[in-house]
Amino acid sequence: MDRLLTVKEVAERLGTWETSKERFPRRLVAERRIAFVKVGRHVRITEAALAEYVTANTVQPRSRRLRAVA
């Protein structure tokens, strides 16, 4: 079983802890953009769900197209 992360731990791993604290991961949960687990009233996010979210939102660089010389 994957480790369950707190919202604060997710914010730290995403690098959003210093700027917006826990707001960004909480918004992801509220908008159902990331899978989460409810443990009583607490919200936890698995490491796998976090990795899946990051992978799904990774933007690959465009390949350079060579221009035809006229």
Side-chain angles (χ1 to χ4, degrees):
M1 180 176 198
D2 279 338
R3 182 168 176 252
L4 296 175
L5 304 171
T6 65
V7 174
K8 180 179 177 182
E9 290 172 326
V10 171
E12 289 171 349
R13 289 188 183 201
L14 290 175
T16 62
W17 174 246
E18 290 298 323
T19 56
S20 63
K21 301 194 180 190
E22 299 172 15
R23 184 183 301 163
F24 180 66
R26 287 195 187 283
R27 193 173 81 221
L28 293 177
V29 168
E31 294 173 357
R32 303 294 198 260
R33 292 171 50 199
I34 192 168
F36 63 93
V37 177
K38 289 283 287 190
V39 182
R41 64 186 185 120
H42 302 283
V43 172
R44 298 293 184 260
I45 299 169
T46 63
E47 288 180 323
L50 181 58
E52 184 179 321
Y53 173 79
V54 170
T55 300
N57 289 283
T58 299
V59 179
Q60 298 299 323
R62 282 200 253 175
S63 60
R64 279 188 142 172
R65 293 171 54 191
L66 298 176
R67 288 185 170 183
V69 178

